[in-house]
Amino acid sequence: MKPIADILIPLDGSQRALDGLSVATWLGARLEARLHVINAGPRCPVDEALARLGVDEHQRPQLEIHQIEEPAAAAILSAVERYRIGLVIMSAFGESGPSDGSQAVGHITREVIERSAVPVLVLPPNYEPAFPWRSTLVPLSGEATTDESLTTALQLAHRLDLNVAIAHVAGPAGPGESAMPGRYIDQVHHEFAQMLNQLVASACPMCSIEERARIEAFHLTQGDVGDELIRLVEEKGVGLLVLGWHGRFIIGHARVLKRLMWQVRCPILLVKPAPKPRFRLKVGEEFE
């Protein structure tokens, strides 16, 4: 993860979107990052646009506003590339979002989190502001494609002075199985400790000793992944939940994320794995 120098906040005039601006202001001050406000729609004078979006006068000097006459999701994604954005902060829904749990995120947020090449911090529907953040929780599944979120969490935690807790949830025991299946009752603990050491070691090229020292706790539990993560977030007073994911929000995918969106109150940072360079085998005359 590169240092975050530019943060993008889409605004639509709703209070939910303004909550994202409050988070961005808090983060921007600590990361020394520039704040970019984007609004999709007809252009108008800057002060008029910011007033229409509900931005307080004292906040306006800190912001660079971009008015883009494109559909909202397309405007956000193009701005990410154009202004070299390192982090997008947005609410799960605008003012008209559903309140019955029928959807986890609105269609604009969904398109952004599926297509964005940079991390997206989403404020869930039941988000409750709680500053300053004190800790972050990073669930690890053991998949390299999702566990790259650990590197992002460690680097961000070091900049924000946060403690990092790592969680791994083993699946529930089947009929006739012990709570911790294996040759001995604590086998999974030994295996998880070894896995954690390997994961932290793999982050060494990108994380300093000080960043890795932010890890203060390991939580190994067994049961339903959603239940256990919700419990840990509430019991530990987590300020930020960092999730690695594949970026697919279609039916049958991201079931845990969809549930977390409706049941946690802290921001959720979604981190996709960095794209791998393509390998092409050279044959014939290409070797000469």
Side-chain angles (χ1 to χ4, degrees), residues 26 130-136 157 160-164 214 216 236-240:
W26 185 81
F131 298 110
W133 299 345
R134 299 297 186 190
S135 63
T136 181
L160 298 177
D161 193 22
L162 307 179
N163 294 320
V164 177
R214 287 287 165 180
E216 68 157 8
K236 306 302 179 181
V238 171
L240 175 67

Side-chain angles (χ1 to χ4, degrees), residues 138-187:
V138 189
L140 297 183
S141 65
E143 297 179 62
T145 53
T146 57
D147 293 344
E148 289 182 24
S149 56
L150 176 60
T151 299
T152 298
L154 291 177
Q155 294 174 342
L156 191 59
H158 182 61
R159 298 283 304 278
L160 298 177
D161 193 22
L162 307 179
N163 294 320
V164 177
I166 297 174
H168 177 74
V169 182
E177 294 179 349
S178 63
M180 291 293 181
R183 288 171 295 178
Y184 46 90
I185 196 68
D186 61 346
Q187 177 180 359

Side-chain angles (χ1 to χ4, degrees), residues 24-36:
T25 301
W26 185 81
L27 278 176
R30 285 150 186 80
L31 299 176
E32 298 180 347
R34 291 179 292 273
L35 303 183
H36 300 257

Side-chain angles (χ1 to χ4, degrees), residues 99-233:
S99 58
D100 59 0
S102 60
Q103 300 176 43
V105 296
H107 70 279
I108 295 173
T109 303
R110 170 177 169 170
E111 187 171 349
V112 171
I113 63 178
E114 285 185 335
R115 296 175 54 194
S116 174
V118 302
V120 181
L121 190 148
V122 181
L123 304 186
N126 297 314
Y127 166 71
E128 292 182 358
F131 298 110
W133 299 345
R134 299 297 186 190
S135 63
T136 181
L137 178 68
V138 189
L140 297 183
S141 65
E143 297 179 62
T145 53
T146 57
D147 293 344
E148 289 182 24
S149 56
L150 176 60
T151 299
T152 298
L154 291 177
Q155 294 174 342
L156 191 59
H158 182 61
R159 298 283 304 278
L160 298 177
D161 193 22
L162 307 179
N163 294 320
V164 177
I166 297 174
H168 177 74
V169 182
E177 294 179 349
S178 63
M180 291 293 181
R183 288 171 295 178
Y184 46 90
I185 196 68
D186 61 346
Q187 177 180 359
V188 68
H189 289 271
H190 288 273
E191 292 176 349
F192 184 58
Q194 183 179 8
M195 181 185 74
L196 283 171
N197 288 334
Q198 292 172 347
L199 286 169
V200 175
S202 69
C204 285
M206 295 170 283
C207 295
S208 66
I209 295 174
E210 292 79 9
E211 289 167 342
R212 297 195 300 274
R214 287 287 165 180
I215 301 173
E216 68 157 8
F218 302 126
H219 302 292
L220 174 61
T221 66
Q222 186 167 30
D224 179 83
V225 175
D227 286 344
E228 291 302 306
L229 293 181
I230 291 166
R231 179 183 64 80
L232 286 171
V233 168

Side-chain angles (χ1 to χ4, degrees), residues 20 23 87-93 104-106 109-110 112-113 119-125 127 133 240-241 245 249 257 261 264-270:
V23 174
L87 175 68
V88 178
I89 300 177
M90 61 192 305
S91 58
F93 296 102
V105 296
T109 303
R110 170 177 169 170
V112 171
I113 63 178
V120 181
L121 190 148
V122 181
L123 304 186
Y127 166 71
W133 299 345
L240 175 67
L241 181 60
W245 82 306
F249 221 79
L257 174 57
M261 279 290 177
V264 302
R265 297 177 175 85
C266 67
I268 301 175
L269 180 62
L270 300 176

